Amino acid sequence: MRLAASAPSRSRRTVLALMVAALPLAGLGLSAAQAETKSIKVGIMSGEDEDVWRVVTAEAAKKDLKIETVVFNDYTQPNEALENGEIDANAFQHQPYLDNQIKTNGYHIVNAGFTAVWPIGLYSRKAHSVAEIQEGAVIGVPNDPSNEGRALKLLEREGVIKLKSGTGILATIADIESNPKKVEIKELDAGVVGRAIDDLDAAVVNTDWALKAGLDAEKDRIAQEPIADNPYRNFIAVKAGSENEPWVKALVAAYQNPVVKVEFDRVYKGTGLAAY
């Protein structure tokens, strides 16, 4: 009789023990799977952003999100890697660039949360103002579609050139309607145009590349695009359909916090601004 009665008692104790073990997760409203640390790979560009993302990684770890950064040196690679599932997210681009990549390659990638904006600038070591740019001057611009259009829009805003009516943000030199100073627009790789500043009369350079090229925003920059309503805010990108996943929300929150902003401001010395 005792043996027969003891078996159900052991079963009840086992069930009770399992119920008690599950209480911490149930009390938090989490499943066992959700309580586990999530590991992801995030593609970033080499350089200053590596310092920023070390802090993002530390902040994410506090929320049980483990980030492995994958560093790229070519703007065309992070979206391809994301589309192919080699990484889970990337953080290096603005919407006009992504729109062009989607149009060209058919990617299924979306904006998950803004990071920062780097206003593009016109730099020169030969002219101290736009008015001092001489007739026939050679001006370098980035040669990738979105940034070339951005550069030409800045030159138009400063009165150096005039673009055809209705020209969008993907303008090219073929869209130049008038060129009163007969300047020569020289298309160069975004990573090269800033380093070529001494061989040019002026150059439109992305701010992150300007820092890498050793340009001084205070001394060498003679014009800058407006910040208000800037369409070139960078963001964290993920595959379409995953933007509402908990790990994506945690990733964005890890970036958009005061601790990361302190490091961002230290690294970029005021040339980049938080865009969230």
Side-chain angles (χ1 to χ4, degrees):
M1 293 292 292
R2 290 180 181 175
L3 290 174
S6 64
S9 297
R10 285 196 298 271
S11 297
R12 283 194 294 272
R13 285 198 297 271
T14 301
V15 171
L16 181 61
L18 290 173
M19 290 174 65
V20 171
L23 281 176
L25 295 177
L28 292 172
L30 298 173
S31 68
Q34 288 173 318
E36 293 176 359
T37 299
K38 172 73 175 177
S39 296
I40 62 169
K41 293 182 179 181
V42 180
I44 64 172
M45 299 304 295
S46 63
E48 292 80 7
D49 241 21
E50 294 178 72
D51 291 332
V52 175
W53 275 88
R54 272 190 277 273
V55 180
V56 178
T57 298
E59 292 301 301
K62 297 176 184 177
K63 303 296 183 182
D64 294 321
L65 180 64
K66 182 180 178 181
I67 298 175
E68 177 187 344
T69 54
V70 180
V71 180
F72 294 93
N73 295 298
D74 183 333
Y75 279 138
T76 64
Q77 294 175 341
N79 281 334
E80 182 179 359
L82 179 56
E83 182 71 17
N84 293 337
E86 297 165 16
I87 57 176
D88 302 287
N90 65 44
F92 77 103
Q93 65 192 320
H94 48 62
Q95 195 64 49
Y97 181 82
L98 176 59
D99 289 343
N100 185 67
Q101 287 268 290
I102 291 172
K103 181 180 178 181
T104 303
N105 301 297
Y107 293 148
H108 305 86
I109 297 173
V110 296
N111 173 356
F114 288 109
T115 54
V117 60
W118 288 266
I120 203 166
L122 177 62
Y123 294 80
S124 178
R125 288 178 176 163
K126 298 175 182 176
H128 297 96
S129 68
V130 176
E132 289 185 13
I133 294 177
Q134 299 296 308
E135 184 171 332
V138 179
I139 301 177
V141 299
N143 63 3
D144 59 285
S146 60
N147 283 313
E148 179 171 5
R150 189 179 182 183
L152 295 176
K153 286 284 187 182
L154 175 58
L155 293 177
E156 179 180 49
R157 182 174 178 270
E158 295 298 324
V160 178
I161 60 172
K162 187 177 186 321
L163 298 170
K164 296 173 184 175
S165 177
T167 299
I169 58 176
L170 297 179
T172 70
I173 56 176
D175 295 306
I176 297 175
E177 182 176 80
S178 65
N179 184 352
K181 288 190 174 183
K182 298 180 177 58
V183 299
E184 177 187 346
I185 305 296
K186 192 166 187 177
E187 299 165 301
L188 298 167
D189 183 85
V192 172
V193 64
R195 294 187 174 95
I197 191 70
D198 291 326
D199 298 320
L200 302 166
D201 294 293
V204 183
V205 188
N206 295 77
T207 303
D208 52 339
W209 284 114
L211 286 174
K212 292 179 177 71
L215 292 169
D216 188 316
E218 293 297 320
K219 295 195 308 184
D220 301 327
R221 188 169 60 197
I222 59 176
Q224 176 181 281
E225 70 183 359
I227 297 171
D229 301 318
N230 194 306
Y232 298 101
R233 290 176 292 171
N234 280 26
F235 51 80
I236 293 169
V238 297
K239 288 291 290 290
S242 64
E243 59 268 31
N244 293 316
E245 292 288 334
W247 68 264
V248 176
K249 301 297 184 184
L251 173 60
V252 173
Y255 191 102
Q256 296 178 353
N257 77 67
V259 177
V260 173
K261 187 177 184 303
V262 169
E263 178 65 6
F264 180 90
D265 291 342
R266 183 194 72 79
V267 168
Y268 286 104
K269 302 177 176 63
T271 55
L273 304 169
Y276 48 88

